[in-house]
Amino acid sequence: MDTLLTAEVAANSPRFRRKSSTFVDAIHDLPERLDMAPAQLYSTESGRLFHAGRIVIVTVGLPARGKTHISVALARYLRWLGVKTRAFHLGDYRRATVGPGKDVPDDYFFVNASATSVLLRQRILKKCREDIYHFLNLENGQVAIYDAVNPLSAGRQALAKEFAKHDVQTLFIESACDDERIIRENVRSVKISSPDYIGWDSDEAVKHYLARISAKIPHFETMEELDLNYVKMTNAGERLKINNCSFGYLAHRIVFYLLNLHIKSRQTYFVRAGVSSEQDSYKTDAHLSEQGEDYAKKMSDRLIGYREEERQALVNRGGSDAALKPLTIWTSTRRRTVETSHFLQRRGYKVRQRSQMSQLNPGVCEKMSERAIRREFPDEVAKHEADPYHHRYPRAEACAALFPRDEIVEIIPASYNNEAKRIHIPDLPEEIVPDSPEDIKIPVPPSGGVTPLPGIGTPQEPLDEQSMERYALGASK
């Protein structure tokens, strides 16, 4: 029954629809409608929460410190809460102002820039600020995220005073880093994924980006202003410093989220559970069948082998010969998912059971095929396709019911570099490989590296050999 929530439905549902003309992550561009997110907890007629004022979140930090990733993550989280939020990335305004295929003057990123570069900066800043005020004043926006370096204390003080004149609160979020390993990892990620370096030689891109960072370091002033609200994150969440002058409801929710956010590069693997002895029964919660046990073993062997292949490929390209990052296995509390993880657990991998990952109760649709559900419950199917997040079939659970399950599990892709790979598990019998759900009209991506499916953020374009090599380690964050 859960296959009715297909990618096509998600892409075309009025509450789900998002697009991105820059093919970044569906956050950088403006949504077609003023809905927040498909999974918001609640919303008001005005689009604003009655117990929270308007806020501008201002990012602070040198390049390659994860500011854009934090901005994108916060935008998604606040929209999910029902807060009308929009991120304003100064880099996007710079690229839009200069135009495609063109570049800024050589001294644009330097403090002692020429008059031409200064005027260009001011024009870009003016347009960005105008859009922020338009969103807050004329579109019932509640949180605007201003994503830029903002290196000087005097400039931050001026920003806070300017927004205060318009009855807008400011919250500064600084992402600082003194760990060279994290910086190198971020630079490597940015130089292969940022729109600024499309078509660049990788070595030249790294050299240019490091020069941009070096130009700002001597003039950068870290957050120490006692009269401003700010959160200072150091080394991707290793330490947090909070200066609370007048935090309200939303600011406290934002701080809570930042306490649980990381910006280090990680890889996430998704696998299906093995086949159970009563595959179609939700209530039985059956054990794995013999075929399911065989699948679990082959899947475990393939995953372990694949991780070692990736590590060796990195070494062959001149990367570090360090040990693989620890792998933690998450399963639901259902028997077949727990038993699928047993082979990995026996090899020393840590396994955590998380109830919020458990299958939704299908209610009266248990043991029914999708075709039978469409035949027996056409009205319910229509409601589901109109709002797949909130709708529930008779006596079933809705996706919205996931929220009360103890806590939220959120997997956030990199701000620019969203990549998916399918890893083939060899020698599986055809009868246990699931068919594609009925009525899906979008193509299933082939094995190997692909970009996300069209309509959800990034166009579907198979990666060439060179790109595959560069993306070999993926970049889920």
Side-chain angles (χ1 to χ4, degrees), residues 66-290:
K67 298 185 302 298
T68 297
H69 176 72
I70 292 171
S71 300
V72 170
L74 272 176
R76 288 193 176 114
Y77 173 66
L78 292 171
R79 287 179 182 177
W80 178 77
L81 285 179
V83 180
K84 194 169 293 183
T85 305
R86 190 170 297 167
F88 298 83
H89 305 274
L90 196 62
D92 287 352
Y93 280 85
R94 168 172 51 80
R95 286 182 282 271
T97 301
V98 173
K102 299 178 182 178
D103 204 356
V104 294
D106 292 338
D107 63 349
Y108 177 87
F109 295 103
F110 293 80
V111 174
N112 55 345
S114 63
T116 302
S117 293
V118 171
L119 288 173
L120 178 59
R121 276 192 223 155
Q122 291 174 347
R123 182 154 58 99
I124 294 169
L125 283 168
K126 182 173 182 290
K127 174 59 179 170
C128 184
R129 304 272 177 82
E130 287 174 351
D131 285 355
I132 288 174
Y133 284 127
H134 187 277
F135 171 67
L136 294 174
N137 296 329
L138 301 179
E139 300 183 48
N140 278 331
Q142 188 151 29
V143 176
I145 302 176
Y146 175 41
D147 177 22
V149 174
N150 296 303
L152 302 179
S153 176
R156 296 190 290 262
Q157 293 279 6
L159 269 177
K161 290 178 181 177
E162 178 189 340
F163 288 126
K165 292 178 184 176
H166 296 266
D167 197 26
V168 176
Q169 305 170 57
T170 52
L171 172 62
F172 293 87
I173 298 176
E174 178 180 353
S175 183
C177 188
D178 53 22
D179 186 331
E180 289 298 324
R181 181 182 57 82
I182 296 176
I183 295 173
R184 287 195 303 271
E185 189 176 279
N186 285 347
V187 169
R188 189 164 58 246
S189 174
V190 169
K191 62 90 178 172
I192 65 171
S193 59
S194 170
D196 285 341
Y197 295 108
I198 293 175
W200 279 58
D201 173 77
S202 58
D203 293 334
E204 288 297 317
V206 170
K207 183 179 177 182
H208 184 270
Y209 198 74
L210 289 173
R212 281 170 56 174
I213 297 174
S214 299
K216 295 181 183 295
I217 288 176
H219 309 279
F220 182 81
E221 298 171 358
T222 190
M223 291 288 307
E224 297 290 349
E225 299 90 331
L226 297 178
D227 58 333
L228 297 181
N229 294 321
Y230 69 82
V231 178
K232 183 175 180 179
M233 302 175 64
T234 304
N235 292 341
E238 184 181 282
R239 297 189 303 275
L240 264 79
K241 178 181 178 182
I242 301 171
N243 192 61
N244 181 349
C245 297
S246 56
F247 277 12
Y249 168 77
L250 275 182
H252 280 100
R253 294 303 298 260
I254 291 165
V255 170
F256 166 78
Y257 184 71
L258 293 176
L259 287 168
N260 295 278
L261 178 68
H262 64 73
I263 59 174
K264 293 180 182 178
S265 177
R266 284 169 168 82
Q267 285 184 302
T268 305
Y269 304 93
F270 295 90
V271 299
R272 291 182 63 96
V275 179
S276 65
S277 54
E278 294 188 51
Q279 182 71 5
D280 296 329
S281 175
Y282 172 84
K283 296 175 184 176
T284 304
D285 192 14
H287 295 278
L288 285 181
S289 65
E290 186 176 330

Side-chain angles (χ1 to χ4, degrees), residues 11 20-21 35 85 92 121 183 203 226 228 286 304 310 331 338 395 477:
S20 174
S21 61
D35 293 338
T85 305
D92 287 352
R121 276 192 223 155
I183 295 173
D203 293 334
L226 297 178
L228 297 181
I304 293 170
E310 291 283 84
T331 78
V338 173
R395 299 175 61 189
K477 287 192 176 180

Side-chain angles (χ1 to χ4, degrees), residues 241-442:
K241 178 181 178 182
I242 301 171
N243 192 61
N244 181 349
C245 297
S246 56
F247 277 12
Y249 168 77
L250 275 182
H252 280 100
R253 294 303 298 260
I254 291 165
V255 170
F256 166 78
Y257 184 71
L258 293 176
L259 287 168
N260 295 278
L261 178 68
H262 64 73
I263 59 174
K264 293 180 182 178
S265 177
R266 284 169 168 82
Q267 285 184 302
T268 305
Y269 304 93
F270 295 90
V271 299
R272 291 182 63 96
V275 179
S276 65
S277 54
E278 294 188 51
Q279 182 71 5
D280 296 329
S281 175
Y282 172 84
K283 296 175 184 176
T284 304
D285 192 14
H287 295 278
L288 285 181
S289 65
E290 186 176 330
Q291 286 183 321
E293 292 278 352
D294 181 58
Y295 162 83
K297 183 178 185 305
K298 290 176 178 176
M299 179 275 295
S300 302
D301 291 341
R302 179 66 184 114
L303 177 59
I304 293 170
Y306 176 81
R307 279 167 50 82
E308 182 56 37
E309 290 170 10
E310 291 283 84
R311 189 192 70 82
Q312 191 58 51
L314 177 62
V315 172
N316 294 341
R317 293 195 303 273
S320 170
D321 193 11
L324 289 166
K325 293 181 180 179
L327 180 67
T328 300
I329 314 301
W330 286 5
T331 78
S332 75
T333 54
R334 306 283 291 177
R335 280 199 186 102
R336 64 191 180 103
T337 64
V338 173
E339 293 175 1
T340 301
S341 70
H342 280 173
F343 287 98
L344 291 165
Q345 189 173 32
R346 290 167 192 162
R347 298 192 187 195
Y349 291 95
K350 184 184 296 184
V351 176
R352 295 179 180 174
Q353 297 179 26
R354 307 185 74 97
S355 60
Q356 61 269 42
M357 296 177 63
S358 293
Q359 175 188 353
L360 295 176
N361 187 334
V364 297
C365 298
E366 183 178 16
K367 296 186 178 182
M368 294 178 66
S369 68
E370 187 168 338
R371 182 174 285 108
I373 294 171
R374 290 185 178 276
R375 183 178 62 250
E376 297 293 327
F377 304 104
D379 294 340
E380 295 294 334
V381 170
K383 292 175 184 177
H384 180 88
E385 292 182 343
D387 187 0
Y389 178 75
H390 292 95
H391 173 262
R392 69 178 71 231
Y393 285 88
R395 299 175 61 189
E397 284 185 292
C399 291
L402 290 173
F403 172 71
R405 290 185 179 178
D406 301 330
E407 59 185 17
I408 303 164
V409 173
E410 182 180 19
I411 298 171
I412 307 171
S415 50
Y416 286 102
N417 188 9
N418 299 341
E419 186 217 359
K421 283 186 178 180
R422 301 183 72 193
I423 305 169
H424 176 66
I425 303 173
D427 303 324
L428 291 179
E430 289 186 10
E431 59 268 22
I432 72 168
V433 178
D435 297 324
S436 295
E438 301 170 15
D439 300 324
I440 287 186
K441 299 182 177 64
I442 48 181

